[in-house]
Amino acid sequence: MSDVVTLERQGAIAVVRVNNPPVNALGIAVREGLQDSFKAAEADPQVKAIVLVCEGSTFIAGADIKEFGKPPKSPGLPEVVSGIEAGSKPSVAVIHGTALGGGLEVAVSCHYRIALKSAKVGLPEVKLGLLPGAGGTQRLPRLVGVEKALDMIVSGNPISASEALELGVIDELVDGDLTAAGIAFAEKLIADGKGARRTGERTDKLDGIDNAALVAAKRAEVEKKTPGLFSPQRCISAVEASFTLPLEEGLKRERELFGECLVSPQRSALVHAFFTERLASKIDDLPKDTPVREINSAAVIGGGTMGVGIALCFANVGIPVKILEVSDEAMDKAMERCRDTYMMSVKRGSLTEDAMNKRLTLVEGVTDYADLSGVDLVVEAVFEEMGVKQKVFEALDTHCKPGAILASNTSSLDLNQIAEFTKRPQDVVGLHFFSPANVMRLLEVVRGEKTANDVLATAMAIGKKLKKVAVPVGVCDGFVGNRMVFQYGRESEFLLEEGATPAQVDGALRKFGMAMGPFAMRDLSGLDIGLSIRTRQRQTLPAEFKLPTILDKMAAAGMLGQKTGKGFYVYEKGSRTPLNNPELPAILEAASKEQGIERRELTDEYILERTLFALINEGAKILEEGIAQRSSDIDVIYINGYGFPAHQGGPMFYADSLGLDHVYNRICEFHKQHGAWWKPAPLLEKLAKEGRKFADL
Ligand code: 3H9
């Protein structure tokens, strides 16, 4: 039929085969091929049933996301799936890998579905700022009922084939050869005299249930959880149409709502986030055929919270890991910490006790560097001080086997200097995990001056294996993420001196979509970290770079954040809920007075500009220095490590969407008003004046 969709007949069964690597996405050629193949099979009198099967690692994983925003090409997917469903001969989708989005919509327009046990099915469109636009919101509720359909469509999370079987999305689980399984199922249908069974004609799962109440409850839940998101509420409206309108009108309503999502800025931001996360793993100047070292065992130096979190990342994916501590006592504590961390997951129900015990057998506590002589990769996670790192790396150099990768989890120290503590700087790389390391997805892979290509490639590969989003960065103070967040944190504090309250700043940023405001975040991580950086900076920075003094005043009053029960907010014993700190206003007023600032009302918009434009300006400097490869890598870091809202696309995408001339002009004004910190990045100035974007670089 075409290069990507073929049709062959095996006896009375027509086999339609999709082969469009890497994920069989429904680009125009696949849509045409499917439509032509199903029409031809329908017209062939020899054909009694049709089997749809895919080549490669997965069934159709959805519409071709690259086509969004481009002029639509006919036939559209809704037309294709309606044609499949309308067919008079029974059709069977054979699912392996993931049937996602448009892929599941194609499958549910077939009359029957069988799947491998390992398969997953879902409608993840909401994660791209969309809703299922080819009948998914009308057909899934008819298959599984409104409640489950709402859960799946609004969360976007896939379900396993076994659950799909229970729910009636799948008719049978199969194994072995996909085509053979499909043909066998189809032949049985023919033998049993079973014909077309159209999902769109069903109403049994919709009848006799208070669907309106389910919709109202979901609306309220979404309003509370994700108030700023555009597509979830539209997903709900589309599902609502499945029981308030006949199929054809419901499908029309779905198209309208899909169209609204398609043109929303959130959709383009989320699609940007999807593609750039994958792009970040590609290193432009690293030859494609760079070999990767085998990593079958690992070790972590330091069994504190960070070290344990890192060790568990390895154990989670089946890699045996040793934790080295200074004494038996410290080692026992580290092992206890491993168990405690896993126990939290067991209590939450996300890990079985059995799985926990299996993983714990992979973790071994040791106290002697000689025990690390056989490991393939070591990650140092000790105290952030160069002298301490020096001792560790000298010991690693002595004891580790040739070819072992020696990684540092430093968050700000000079990796090149650390590498020189060894006689093999080419084997040294930074693996900057984010706390809690076993939870946070981001991994900055720090490329030192002498890091060998295969070490870098291996570090990126191990990041993927650990299920992290690995992003390569260069060496500088704080790398990409922390270097930028410093600007953001400092400006937030200046805003307090100028008249804002922590709740106001946090509130404005949360409304923008940040997972957490800067002050709640500070309280969580403890004010002492910021304070020690400030102290260091006071000694090294030129006088024109003023620093806020609020942290010092708070520390003097014993307010160090959640750990002291008091920081920018106060916390009741055992609670993490931030409450107003009644002692703070006096501290803020004293700080304003000291700086000769008259406190004033600040708008949310101004708060966003002062904090987010500080991130953007530093991001531009980072790009210019080549510390990040591309602006989108910075976005990936911010979305995955700093709670930046994916629907805003990341700080650099956000800047592009505002227009760099606007951002640049505001930064120039801040420079005049607030001095040296705000010197515009030359790259930003250049792009703004040329009318270009970061994305154009
Ligand atoms: C939709 O269906 C709308 C409809 O309801 C209505 C239409 C009217 N398109 O993730 P990986 C690329 S919306 C184009 O690394 P994995 C990806 O960029 C869609 N390209 O592999 C990468 O390219 P590269 C709903 C796509 O094994 C390569 O494939 N569906 C698409 O870790 C490998 O990807 C989704 O949202 C696509 N749809 O994971 C599913 N998908 O090699 C989105 C992937 O050049 N996809 N690519 O970097 C996924 O969740 C994962 O890719 C998947 C495989 C689980 C399938």
Side-chain angles (χ1 to χ4, degrees):
M1 273 287 137
S2 73
D3 284 352
V4 292
V5 184
T6 56
L7 173 67
E8 73 202 35
R9 193 162 53 75
Q10 297 199 17
I13 313 295
V15 177
V16 179
R17 194 181 302 279
V18 179
N19 185 9
N20 185 28
V23 297
N24 291 316
L26 290 155
I28 179 63
V30 176
R31 299 199 301 275
E32 275 171 354
L34 281 175
Q35 192 175 52
D36 293 348
S37 302
F38 273 84
K39 272 188 186 162
E42 179 74 24
D44 184 343
Q46 312 264 30
V47 170
K48 300 279 177 275
I50 305 164
V51 166
L52 171 63
V53 67
C54 292
E55 288 290 307
S57 61
T58 181
F59 189 76
I60 299 164
D64 186 341
I65 304 169
K66 292 194 189 89
E67 286 185 355
F68 294 153
K70 295 186 183 154
K73 284 191 180 151
S74 202
L77 193 58
E79 185 187 331
V80 175
V81 299
S82 290
I84 293 175
E85 183 172 72
S88 67
K89 299 173 183 176
S91 51
V92 183
V94 187
I95 299 172
H96 74 295
T98 45
L100 297 177
L104 183 57
E105 291 174 303
V106 168
V108 298
S109 70
C110 289
H111 304 141
Y112 299 87
R113 289 154 295 279
I114 60 176
L116 293 188
K117 193 161 183 269
S118 55
K120 286 188 172 160
V121 303
L123 292 173
E125 286 86 343
V126 72
K127 297 187 180 183
L128 299 170
L130 286 168
L131 53 89
T137 64
Q138 306 306 297
R139 291 193 178 94
L140 192 64
R142 285 173 160 82
L143 274 181
V144 302
V146 167
E147 186 171 18
K148 188 65 200 173
L150 279 172
D151 278 353
M152 286 178 67
I153 292 170
V154 173
S155 75
N157 295 331
I159 57 170
S160 66
S162 316
E163 191 182 351
L165 178 72
E166 245 170 64
L167 290 168
V169 180
I170 302 285
D171 296 292
E172 199 174 292
L173 294 182
V174 293
D175 49 26
D177 182 73
L178 297 171
T179 310
I183 290 176
F185 189 89
E187 280 172 344
K188 188 155 188 312
L189 288 177
I190 298 169
D192 293 349
K194 288 192 176 153
R197 185 192 61 175
R198 298 183 188 93
T199 308
E201 290 173 357
R202 284 178 63 174
T203 56
D204 53 302
K205 290 278 172 80
L206 302 177
D207 297 337
I209 293 168
D210 189 355
N211 290 320
L214 296 171
V215 160
K218 195 52 131 188
R219 278 204 194 290
E221 181 192 318
V222 164
E223 182 53 41
K224 197 161 163 224
K225 269 201 206 151
T226 48
L229 289 188
F230 188 80
S231 69
Q233 291 289 3
R234 280 154 188 85
C235 287
I236 300 173
S237 300
V239 172
E240 191 174 27
S242 72
F243 63 87
T244 55
L245 298 173
L247 179 71
E248 278 313 311
E249 282 177 48
L251 289 171
K252 236 167 95 190
R253 177 82 184 119
E254 180 194 77
R255 287 306 295 163
E256 284 163 15
L257 292 161
F258 181 82
E260 286 175 21
C261 292
L262 196 62
V263 296
S264 82
Q266 291 189 5
R267 194 275 305 159
S268 45
L270 286 161
V271 169
H272 165 82
F274 176 85
F275 280 120
T276 54
E277 185 178 315
R278 281 146 185 89
L279 185 64
S281 65
K282 300 183 172 88
I283 302 178
D284 290 340
D285 65 344
L286 202 63
K288 274 217 164 72
D289 55 357
T290 305
V292 173
R293 297 187 192 178
E294 255 190 56
I295 306 294
N296 295 316
S297 59
V300 177
I301 314 298
T305 311
M306 195 54 159
V308 160
I310 296 172
L312 297 186
C313 292
F314 288 97
N316 289 347
V317 297
I319 299 178
V321 59
K322 297 181 179 185
I323 301 180
L324 185 131
E325 258 300 351
V326 286
S327 64
D328 285 341
E329 203 193 344
M331 189 258 282
D332 288 344
K333 271 211 178 115
M335 297 303 287
E336 213 177 287
R337 207 169 271 141
C338 290
R339 176 169 282 276
D340 289 351
T341 311
Y342 273 148
M343 267 320 283
M344 286 197 279
S345 308
V346 172
K347 277 187 190 141
R348 268 202 311 271
S350 57
L351 186 72
T352 64
E353 204 153 340
D354 198 32
M356 170 182 84
N357 290 331
K358 268 196 200 126
R359 289 183 195 184
L360 282 172
T361 61
L362 294 171
V363 188
E364 184 191 349
V366 297
T367 53
D368 190 342
Y369 276 93
D371 289 328
L372 308 186
S373 61
V375 298
D376 298 322
L377 165 73
V378 186
V379 186
E380 160 279 308
V382 299
F383 190 64
E384 204 57 354
E385 202 201 270
M386 201 50 109
V388 185
K389 307 271 184 200
Q390 176 165 5
K391 283 200 186 109
V392 170
F393 274 83
E394 284 170 356
L396 291 178
D397 198 23
T398 307
H399 293 282
C400 291
K401 67 180 180 188
I405 294 181
L406 310 181
S408 172
N409 177 54
T410 181
S411 58
S412 60
L413 297 178
D414 182 350
L415 185 82
N416 294 329
Q417 197 182 338
I418 293 176
E420 292 306 329
F421 298 141
T422 73
K423 288 187 267 325
R424 37 176 141 172
Q426 74 282 359
D427 291 340
V428 176
V429 69
L431 288 180
H432 181 208
F433 289 82
F434 288 73
S435 190
N438 51 319
V439 177
M440 295 293 289
R441 291 184 78 216
L442 179 62
L443 178 70
E444 283 184 330
V445 174
V446 190
R447 182 183 197 172
E449 250 164 34
K450 295 191 181 160
T451 305
N453 277 354
D454 64 335
V455 171
L456 182 64
T458 309
M460 294 297 292
I462 199 76
K464 188 162 189 199
K465 174 116 204 226
L466 300 183
K467 301 196 169 68
K468 301 288 176 199
V469 178
V471 187
V473 300
V475 178
C476 67
D477 190 358
F479 312 120
V480 172
N482 283 348
R483 173 169 159 184
M484 285 168 68
V485 89
F486 167 71
Q487 313 295 327
Y488 170 82
R490 183 204 60 240
E491 284 307 308
S492 320
E493 284 169 51
F494 277 140
L495 289 171
L496 297 189
E497 285 186 357
E498 288 168 36
T501 62
Q504 192 192 355
V505 175
D506 282 357
L509 283 155
R510 276 221 322 282
K511 219 188 287 166
F512 173 77
M514 296 297 289
M516 221 180 193
F519 296 113
M521 176 64 90
R522 276 277 169 82
D523 275 358
L524 182 68
S525 52
L527 269 57
D528 33 0
I529 301 175
L531 204 60
S532 75
I533 297 176
R534 283 291 148 75
T535 312
R536 182 154 47 97
Q537 286 178 327
R538 282 213 178 88
Q539 289 154 6
T540 52
L541 277 172
E544 71 260 33
F545 290 93
K546 284 203 201 113
L547 288 164
T549 57
I550 288 169
L551 288 186
D552 309 72
K553 291 185 169 49
M554 289 174 67
M559 301 177 190
L560 289 180
Q562 286 193 16
K563 61 175 142 189
T564 56
K566 214 186 265 183
F568 289 100
Y569 302 94
V570 290
Y571 303 85
E572 281 168 0
K573 216 172 164 51
S575 159
R576 286 177 182 270
T577 309
L579 303 170
N580 204 22
N581 178 353
E583 295 169 49
L584 198 64
I587 292 182
L588 302 188
E589 271 156 35
S592 310
K593 209 163 164 194
E594 207 174 88
Q595 302 300 321
I597 297 172
E598 192 158 328
R599 295 180 68 77
R600 63 194 169 96
E601 280 285 318
L602 304 177
T603 63
D604 283 2
E605 192 193 348
Y606 183 76
I607 289 170
L608 291 188
E609 287 185 341
R610 281 287 294 280
T611 49
L612 300 179
F613 289 9
L615 280 181
I616 294 162
N617 200 32
E618 196 66 21
K621 291 177 191 168
I622 282 171
L623 261 184
E624 196 160 25
E625 292 167 26
I627 299 293
Q629 283 197 97
R630 30 182 115 81
S631 65
S632 65
D633 283 7
I634 299 178
D635 291 334
V636 174
I637 287 174
Y638 261 76
I639 290 171
N640 292 287
Y642 294 84
F644 199 97
H647 67 270
Q648 304 279 8
M652 310 314 273
F653 181 92
Y654 177 63
D656 278 348
S657 67
L658 292 176
L660 293 190
D661 52 343
H662 168 70
V663 176
Y664 170 69
N665 289 337
R666 288 298 281 152
I667 287 178
C668 289
E669 287 165 31
F670 295 151
H671 189 207
K672 264 191 221 137
Q673 290 158 15
H674 303 288
W677 287 115
W678 282 99
K679 189 170 181 328
L683 176 67
L684 174 63
E685 179 176 358
K686 182 171 176 305
L687 292 175
K689 289 188 173 160
E690 290 170 358
R692 295 167 69 205
K693 295 178 167 195
F694 288 123
D696 298 333
L697 291 171

PDB file of all heavy atoms in Angstrom, residues 5-19:
ATOM      1  N   VAL A   5       2.910   1.454   5.369  1.00  0.00           N
ATOM      2  CA  VAL A   5       1.779   0.571   5.695  1.00  0.00           C
ATOM      3  C   VAL A   5       1.619  -0.431   4.549  1.00  0.00           C
ATOM      4  O   VAL A   5       1.505  -0.033   3.393  1.00  0.00           O
ATOM      5  CB  VAL A   5       0.461   1.364   5.871  1.00  0.00           C
ATOM      6  CG1 VAL A   5      -0.663   0.421   6.312  1.00  0.00           C
ATOM      7  CG2 VAL A   5       0.615   2.481   6.888  1.00  0.00           C
ATOM      8  N   THR A   6       1.639  -1.719   4.888  1.00  0.00           N
ATOM      9  CA  THR A   6       1.476  -2.723   3.835  1.00  0.00           C
ATOM     10  C   THR A   6       0.228  -3.550   4.111  1.00  0.00           C
ATOM     11  O   THR A   6      -0.247  -3.625   5.252  1.00  0.00           O
ATOM     12  CB  THR A   6       2.686  -3.680   3.781  1.00  0.00           C
ATOM     13  OG1 THR A   6       2.857  -4.261   5.072  1.00  0.00           O
ATOM     14  CG2 THR A   6       3.958  -2.955   3.373  1.00  0.00           C
ATOM     15  N   LEU A   7      -0.267  -4.161   3.036  1.00  0.00           N
ATOM     16  CA  LEU A   7      -1.456  -5.013   3.159  1.00  0.00           C
ATOM     17  C   LEU A   7      -1.135  -6.346   2.502  1.00  0.00           C
ATOM     18  O   LEU A   7      -0.655  -6.389   1.369  1.00  0.00           O
ATOM     19  CB  LEU A   7      -2.632  -4.339   2.440  1.00  0.00           C
ATOM     20  CG  LEU A   7      -3.915  -5.153   2.329  1.00  0.00           C
ATOM     21  CD1 LEU A   7      -4.553  -5.379   3.698  1.00  0.00           C
ATOM     22  CD2 LEU A   7      -4.917  -4.433   1.421  1.00  0.00           C
ATOM     23  N   GLU A   8      -1.371  -7.436   3.212  1.00  0.00           N
ATOM     24  CA  GLU A   8      -1.200  -8.745   2.584  1.00  0.00           C
ATOM     25  C   GLU A   8      -2.359  -9.624   3.032  1.00  0.00           C
ATOM     26  O   GLU A   8      -2.985  -9.355   4.067  1.00  0.00           O
ATOM     27  CB  GLU A   8       0.153  -9.363   2.991  1.00  0.00           C
ATOM     28  CG  GLU A   8       0.164  -9.839   4.419  1.00  0.00           C
ATOM     29  CD  GLU A   8       1.552  -9.962   5.040  1.00  0.00           C
ATOM     30  OE1 GLU A   8       2.435  -9.150   4.728  1.00  0.00           O
ATOM     31  OE2 GLU A   8       1.688 -10.869   5.872  1.00  0.00           O
ATOM     32  N   ARG A   9      -2.628 -10.643   2.216  1.00  0.00           N
ATOM     33  CA  ARG A   9      -3.731 -11.520   2.596  1.00  0.00           C
ATOM     34  C   ARG A   9      -3.190 -12.889   2.951  1.00  0.00           C
ATOM     35  O   ARG A   9      -2.335 -13.426   2.251  1.00  0.00           O
ATOM     36  CB  ARG A   9      -4.758 -11.620   1.472  1.00  0.00           C
ATOM     37  CG  ARG A   9      -6.068 -12.256   1.926  1.00  0.00           C
ATOM     38  CD  ARG A   9      -7.205 -11.978   0.974  1.00  0.00           C
ATOM     39  NE  ARG A   9      -6.893 -12.324  -0.403  1.00  0.00           N
ATOM     40  CZ  ARG A   9      -6.856 -13.577  -0.877  1.00  0.00           C
ATOM     41  NH1 ARG A   9      -7.083 -14.607  -0.079  1.00  0.00           N
ATOM     42  NH2 ARG A   9      -6.590 -13.793  -2.149  1.00  0.00           N
ATOM     43  N   GLN A  10      -3.611 -13.402   4.086  1.00  0.00           N
ATOM     44  CA  GLN A  10      -3.239 -14.767   4.462  1.00  0.00           C
ATOM     45  C   GLN A  10      -4.547 -15.530   4.618  1.00  0.00           C
ATOM     46  O   GLN A  10      -5.236 -15.382   5.636  1.00  0.00           O
ATOM     47  CB  GLN A  10      -2.437 -14.777   5.760  1.00  0.00           C
ATOM     48  CG  GLN A  10      -1.128 -14.023   5.610  1.00  0.00           C
ATOM     49  CD  GLN A  10      -0.116 -14.403   6.688  1.00  0.00           C
ATOM     50  OE1 GLN A  10      -0.230 -15.420   7.353  1.00  0.00           O
ATOM     51  NE2 GLN A  10       0.894 -13.578   6.846  1.00  0.00           N
ATOM     52  N   GLY A  11      -4.916 -16.268   3.586  1.00  0.00           N
ATOM     53  CA  GLY A  11      -6.211 -16.952   3.586  1.00  0.00           C
ATOM     54  C   GLY A  11      -7.319 -15.912   3.582  1.00  0.00           C
ATOM     55  O   GLY A  11      -7.340 -14.994   2.762  1.00  0.00           O
ATOM     56  N   ALA A  12      -8.209 -16.023   4.575  1.00  0.00           N
ATOM     57  CA  ALA A  12      -9.335 -15.083   4.621  1.00  0.00           C
ATOM     58  C   ALA A  12      -9.008 -13.839   5.450  1.00  0.00           C
ATOM     59  O   ALA A  12      -9.863 -13.005   5.703  1.00  0.00           O
ATOM     60  CB  ALA A  12     -10.554 -15.788   5.209  1.00  0.00           C
ATOM     61  N   ILE A  13      -7.761 -13.747   5.895  1.00  0.00           N
ATOM     62  CA  ILE A  13      -7.411 -12.629   6.796  1.00  0.00           C
ATOM     63  C   ILE A  13      -6.521 -11.609   6.069  1.00  0.00           C
ATOM     64  O   ILE A  13      -5.483 -11.983   5.501  1.00  0.00           O
ATOM     65  CB  ILE A  13      -6.640 -13.139   8.038  1.00  0.00           C
ATOM     66  CG1 ILE A  13      -7.322 -14.357   8.677  1.00  0.00           C
ATOM     67  CG2 ILE A  13      -6.425 -12.013   9.055  1.00  0.00           C
ATOM     68  CD1 ILE A  13      -8.685 -14.125   9.260  1.00  0.00           C
ATOM     69  N   ALA A  14      -6.921 -10.358   6.116  1.00  0.00           N
ATOM     70  CA  ALA A  14      -6.062  -9.292   5.587  1.00  0.00           C
ATOM     71  C   ALA A  14      -5.188  -8.795   6.731  1.00  0.00           C
ATOM     72  O   ALA A  14      -5.701  -8.504   7.826  1.00  0.00           O
ATOM     73  CB  ALA A  14      -6.914  -8.153   5.065  1.00  0.00           C
ATOM     74  N   VAL A  15      -3.883  -8.715   6.507  1.00  0.00           N
ATOM     75  CA  VAL A  15      -2.984  -8.212   7.554  1.00  0.00           C
ATOM     76  C   VAL A  15      -2.491  -6.828   7.144  1.00  0.00           C
ATOM     77  O   VAL A  15      -1.819  -6.675   6.123  1.00  0.00           O
ATOM     78  CB  VAL A  15      -1.784  -9.162   7.779  1.00  0.00           C
ATOM     79  CG1 VAL A  15      -0.824  -8.584   8.828  1.00  0.00           C
ATOM     80  CG2 VAL A  15      -2.271 -10.543   8.202  1.00  0.00           C
ATOM     81  N   VAL A  16      -2.870  -5.837   7.924  1.00  0.00           N
ATOM     82  CA  VAL A  16      -2.393  -4.469   7.693  1.00  0.00           C
ATOM     83  C   VAL A  16      -1.214  -4.269   8.634  1.00  0.00           C
ATOM     84  O   VAL A  16      -1.345  -4.455   9.848  1.00  0.00           O
ATOM     85  CB  VAL A  16      -3.508  -3.435   7.997  1.00  0.00           C
ATOM     86  CG1 VAL A  16      -2.994  -2.021   7.780  1.00  0.00           C
ATOM     87  CG2 VAL A  16      -4.743  -3.709   7.164  1.00  0.00           C
ATOM     88  N   ARG A  17      -0.063  -3.890   8.056  1.00  0.00           N
ATOM     89  CA  ARG A  17       1.150  -3.811   8.873  1.00  0.00           C
ATOM     90  C   ARG A  17       1.728  -2.400   8.800  1.00  0.00           C
ATOM     91  O   ARG A  17       1.965  -1.875   7.708  1.00  0.00           O
ATOM     92  CB  ARG A  17       2.174  -4.814   8.337  1.00  0.00           C
ATOM     93  CG  ARG A  17       3.351  -5.089   9.252  1.00  0.00           C
ATOM     94  CD  ARG A  17       4.313  -6.077   8.609  1.00  0.00           C
ATOM     95  NE  ARG A  17       3.693  -7.352   8.266  1.00  0.00           N
ATOM     96  CZ  ARG A  17       3.475  -8.334   9.142  1.00  0.00           C
ATOM     97  NH1 ARG A  17       3.860  -8.205  10.391  1.00  0.00           N
ATOM     98  NH2 ARG A  17       2.887  -9.452   8.764  1.00  0.00           N
ATOM     99  N   VAL A  18       1.943  -1.804   9.974  1.00  0.00           N
ATOM    100  CA  VAL A  18       2.522  -0.450  10.016  1.00  0.00           C
ATOM    101  C   VAL A  18       4.000  -0.578  10.350  1.00  0.00           C
ATOM    102  O   VAL A  18       4.376  -1.311  11.264  1.00  0.00           O
ATOM    103  CB  VAL A  18       1.817   0.414  11.098  1.00  0.00           C
ATOM    104  CG1 VAL A  18       2.434   1.810  11.175  1.00  0.00           C
ATOM    105  CG2 VAL A  18       0.331   0.520  10.813  1.00  0.00           C
ATOM    106  N   ASN A  19       4.819   0.149   9.585  1.00  0.00           N
ATOM    107  CA  ASN A  19       6.264   0.099   9.850  1.00  0.00           C
ATOM    108  C   ASN A  19       6.840   1.497   9.661  1.00  0.00           C
ATOM    109  O   ASN A  19       7.337   1.849   8.599  1.00  0.00           O
ATOM    110  CB  ASN A  19       6.918  -0.905   8.893  1.00  0.00           C
ATOM    111  CG  ASN A  19       8.396  -1.085   9.218  1.00  0.00           C
ATOM    112  OD1 ASN A  19       8.874  -0.596  10.242  1.00  0.00           O
ATOM    113  ND2 ASN A  19       9.113  -1.769   8.350  1.00  0.00           N
TER     114      ASN A  19
END
